[in-house]
Amino acid sequence: MNVPEILATYDDQAPLAEAYTIPAPWYVDARIAELERLTVFSKTWQVIGRVDQLEKPGQFVTGNVAGEPLVVVRGNDDVLRAFYNVCRHHAAAVVTEPSGTASLLHCPYHGWNYGLDGALKGMPEFDGVKCFERSDNGLVPVKVDTWETLVFVNLDPQAVFLHDFLGGLVNRSAPLGLSKLNYFTTQSYDIHCNWKVFVDNYLDGGYHVPHLHKGLSSVLDYKQYTIENEDRYCLQSSPMVASDEDAATGSTRKGDRAWYFWQYPNFMFNCYEGYMDTNLVIPMDVDHCRVVFDFYFSDVSEAARPYNEQSVAVGNRVQDEDLGICEAVQRGLKSRAYGAGRLSARREAGEQLFHQLLARDLKAGVRSS
Ligand code: FES
Ligand SMILES: [Fe+2]
């Protein structure tokens, strides 16, 4: 099958009770992964760092979006800017650290210097070069914006504003006061599965929680679990119940409700009282993804460190449980026995929203190319 034929095998108009998942080839065919790179990851707002990393002039973070090396830096005028991290001379990466502070962006290859505003400032041994305008050779800019604790970039010069992209998510999550939380630590997982397998697992409305996450399950009122779809986000939420079944989970997952937000295509954040973890799902190739977890707490003092570490360990245990099942799913998606699956009408509305948004972007991308 060619790519349009593969895309045509999914019906994004079916009502939930009649809907199927996106078909197996979408998870295992490298042509679909490439189409996603061009039409999803090159056109949506993508998290690249945290506001606390970019508070002062000269602070920078580097990263990759859709395979493109990028750098975000705060200028001496306090303006946050993003650029392709590609030297205009011979294409070396200009900034080589993941994060830090600089007064100039200095290319390590032949020593070209760029200002924090991306302008080319100096090129050693370039006298006598004709038809070369320094002002035309600054770093190539990329859209950047912030929301709550997060810094986003978008490779599409025509992209809508970040707040319009986030849509209803902005108001729905506002009562949680996310920007008051403080960053604590990062954990990354490399998983042998397509990035969508991880997102699907997240969006199954708690369906897998009683089976796979016994500890987490003990603090959620599973029957009351709610699933709300709006715009490009899904909120899954559950009342919390006190439990002494699993002491570590009980003491670190507190409050009235658990809040699990997913924003299309690949970003989630999970909140309990005084706690948030964010999950960025980065496709590596069609069969592999990296999931980056940033943990935040209301109190990150030294005194709170043992508690926060215990809380992160609870998160890690849940991730390990998810990781094994995601890898099993990826193997199953390659089996001749599997084509596509049905969705639980009670639980899996978020997964359908994900598949519909993705299908619309991929189909539009094919039409325009
Ligand atoms: S590639 Fe950057 S100075 Fe030559
Ligand atoms: Fe899970």
Side-chain angles (χ1 to χ4, degrees):
M1 281 201 278
N2 62 29
V3 168
E5 286 165 347
I6 294 172
L7 296 183
T9 55
Y10 174 70
D11 175 8
D12 65 36
Q13 302 296 327
L16 178 56
E18 292 167 28
Y20 282 79
T21 63
I22 48 176
W26 293 40
Y27 298 87
V28 302
D29 191 311
R31 294 171 297 175
I32 299 291
E34 177 61 6
L35 185 63
E36 288 170 348
R37 190 176 76 79
L38 297 173
T39 66
V40 177
F41 292 94
S42 297
K43 291 183 185 291
T44 51
W45 285 93
Q46 292 287 314
V47 171
I48 193 159
R50 304 184 313 273
V51 172
D52 68 77
Q53 296 175 293
L54 293 159
E55 271 162 354
K56 299 190 202 75
Q59 286 191 305
F60 63 82
V61 298
T62 59
N64 266 270
V65 169
E68 293 286 351
L70 302 174
V71 57
V72 183
V73 57
R74 190 168 296 279
N76 290 320
D77 55 2
D78 230 29
V79 174
L80 196 60
R81 296 182 181 84
F83 305 99
Y84 288 90
N85 186 19
V86 178
C87 185
R88 296 296 299 275
H89 179 226
H90 288 179
V94 176
V95 183
T96 52
E97 300 290 313
S99 63
T101 306
S103 51
L104 272 176
L105 307 181
H106 175 77
C107 182
Y109 197 178
H110 311 97
W112 284 27
N113 282 318
Y114 300 87
L116 301 177
D117 60 357
L120 180 57
K121 296 282 195 212
M123 318 80 73
E125 304 182 69
F126 235 56
D127 291 345
V129 176
K130 296 198 176 123
C131 303
F132 179 85
E133 288 297 331
R134 204 167 61 171
S135 57
D136 292 340
N137 283 275
L139 295 175
V140 176
V142 171
K143 280 180 182 272
V144 63
D145 204 351
T146 64
W147 173 70
E148 299 284 12
T149 63
L150 303 161
V151 179
F152 292 75
V153 290
N154 195 317
L155 299 184
D156 180 3
Q158 258 76 58
V160 298
F161 288 113
L162 173 62
H163 279 239
D164 295 329
F165 177 79
L166 296 174
L169 177 79
V170 172
N171 282 336
R172 195 69 184 88
S173 62
L176 297 175
L178 303 180
S179 56
K180 292 203 287 285
L181 294 168
N182 303 295
Y183 170 74
F184 180 65
T185 192
T186 298
Q187 304 265 334
S188 286
Y189 292 83
D190 286 309
I191 313 180
H192 192 165
C193 72
N194 184 272
W195 69 279
K196 299 189 291 298
V197 171
F198 189 90
V199 175
D200 286 347
N201 172 67
Y202 184 89
L203 286 174
D204 74 2
Y207 203 175
H208 72 275
V209 171
H211 307 284
L212 205 59
H213 306 308
K214 302 277 188 239
L216 180 59
S217 185
S218 69
V219 298
L220 299 181
D221 185 356
Y222 177 75
K223 289 211 166 44
Q224 306 296 322
Y225 200 106
T226 58
I227 298 129
E228 296 169 42
N229 286 343
E230 187 189 5
D231 297 335
R232 297 182 185 84
Y233 81 92
C234 175
L235 167 59
Q236 305 174 81
S237 183
S238 172
M240 308 282 293
V241 290
S243 166
D244 43 22
E245 214 171 288
D246 177 331
T249 304
S251 68
T252 59
R253 299 290 180 270
K254 295 190 296 201
D256 300 338
R257 293 195 79 86
W259 304 83
Y260 306 137
F261 285 93
W262 163 78
Q263 171 70 32
Y264 176 78
N266 62 330
F267 186 71
M268 301 81 140
F269 54 96
N270 307 295
C271 302
Y272 302 93
E273 195 176 273
Y275 170 101
M276 169 168 76
D277 66 78
T278 63
N279 319 149
L280 177 64
V281 189
I282 305 168
M284 304 306 284
D285 64 26
V286 68
D287 267 340
H288 296 86
C289 63
R290 175 168 299 157
V291 188
V292 181
F293 286 74
D294 282 353
F295 292 86
Y296 296 71
F297 296 96
S298 48
D299 180 0
V300 290
S301 64
E302 264 317 297
R305 176 170 286 277
Y307 172 86
N308 293 346
E309 282 172 353
Q310 184 188 30
S311 182
V312 170
V314 167
N316 287 344
R317 199 177 70 204
V318 174
Q319 292 333 307
D320 285 336
E321 291 162 352
D322 280 324
L323 200 141
I325 209 78
C326 286
E327 296 192 340
V329 167
Q330 185 71 14
R331 288 190 293 273
L333 287 166
K334 292 180 179 165
S335 167
R336 68 190 70 172
Y338 190 82
R342 296 300 302 273
L343 296 169
S344 160
R346 163 67 182 93
R347 293 278 166 190
E348 297 183 289
E351 209 167 315
Q352 188 194 26
L353 175 66
F354 172 39
H355 294 173
Q356 289 170 324
L357 292 169
L358 180 78
R360 287 164 199 170
D361 275 358
L362 295 182
K363 287 174 185 178
V366 163
R367 273 197 304 275
S368 72
S369 67

